[in-house]
């Protein structure tokens, strides 16, 4: 395969990019500044070496711990549980949530072989056992899998024999059913936080 075809096929693998868009991107790149392309390629080459999941919460970081876990001004009694690392950026972008996060790494999908052991559920319980967290806000997407996972987490947390009481809440109404956190506007997300309900 020649470079042009190979690169087009590389881009067509990106989420949301079809063959036609991939071809348009490659043609656009060919007309760009050489330095821009070199920097782009360099960043891609080192991306997975530099950016790692935070060992505490699972959000992406280039430091030992992410900026949220290492920020002493964050409210350590509040923990927001999300499906993927990019959900942290979405919630952070709307700016009102001042607690900590926990990235599950997906949702329960038994048919695809994703059970509790494939998600960071044990790590979540261990964080709760440290005793600082008073409320867990489950912010999985409002899909069937997201809801099932939320119910499962509530059960696991309530049965984990924690020394301190931990309230478990779920993001509230306003979230489009079957939707994705990533596409929700700031106001809707803010409302779903303030209107969160206890299980
Ligand atoms: Zn972190």
């Amino acid at each position: 395969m020649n470079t042009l075809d190979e690169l087009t096929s590389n881009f067509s693998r990106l989420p949301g990019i079809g063959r036609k868009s991939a071809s348009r991107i490659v043609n656009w790149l060919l007309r760009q500044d050489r330095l821009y392309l070199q920097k782009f390629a360099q960043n891609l080459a080192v991306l997975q070496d530099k950016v790692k999941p935070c060992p505490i919460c699972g959000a992406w970081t280039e430091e030992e711990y992410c900026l949220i876990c290492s920020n002493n001004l964050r409210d350590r009694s509040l923990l927001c549980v999300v499906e993927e690392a990019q959900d942290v950026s979405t919630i952070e972008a709307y700016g009102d949530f001042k607690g900590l996060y926990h990235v599950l790494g997906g949702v329960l999908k038994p048919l695809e072989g994703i059970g509790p052991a494939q998600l960071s559920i044990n790590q979540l319980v261990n964080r709760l056992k440290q005793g600082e967290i008073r409320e867990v806000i489950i912010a999985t997407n409002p899909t069937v899998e997201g809801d099932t996972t939320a119910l499962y987490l509530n059960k696991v947390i309530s049965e984990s024999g924690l020394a301190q009481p931990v309230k478990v809440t779920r993001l509230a109404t306003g979230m489009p059913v079957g939707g994705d956190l990533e596409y929700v506007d700031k106001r809707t997300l803010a409302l779903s936080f303030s209107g969160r309900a206890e299980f």
Side-chain angles (χ1 to χ4, degrees), residues 121-189:
I121 295 176
N122 283 340
Q123 292 91 320
L124 171 65
V125 173
N126 286 336
R127 287 183 79 180
L128 298 179
K129 283 183 176 162
Q130 288 165 11
E132 263 191 306
I133 296 155
R134 289 287 176 270
E135 180 179 350
V136 174
I137 303 166
I138 303 178
T140 50
N141 290 324
T143 56
V144 174
E145 288 102 345
D147 288 340
T148 311
T149 308
L151 284 171
Y152 180 78
L153 289 176
N154 180 48
K155 184 170 172 281
V156 169
I157 294 168
S158 64
E159 290 171 359
S160 59
L162 297 169
Q164 84 284 13
V166 172
K167 189 158 95 173
V168 183
T169 55
R170 173 93 170 106
L171 283 198
T173 52
M175 292 286 286
V177 173
D180 194 307
L181 212 60
E182 205 181 338
Y183 303 112
V184 171
D185 63 274
K186 283 187 180 187
R187 209 182 122 68
T188 308
L189 196 54

Side-chain angles (χ1 to χ4, degrees), residues 8 26 33 40 58 63 77 87 110 123 126 134 145 153 160 163 165:
T8 307
V26 176
D33 179 65
F40 187 2
E63 311 297 328
S77 69
D87 297 330
Q123 292 91 320
N126 286 336
R134 289 287 176 270
E145 288 102 345
L153 289 176
S160 59

Side-chain angles (χ1 to χ4, degrees), residues 53-61 64-70 88 100-103 127:
C54 168
I56 301 174
C57 72
W60 297 121
T61 179
E64 190 180 1
Y65 299 105
C66 77
L67 291 173
I68 298 166
C69 286
S70 46
V88 174
L100 302 176
Y101 292 93
H102 189 84
V103 178
R127 287 183 79 180

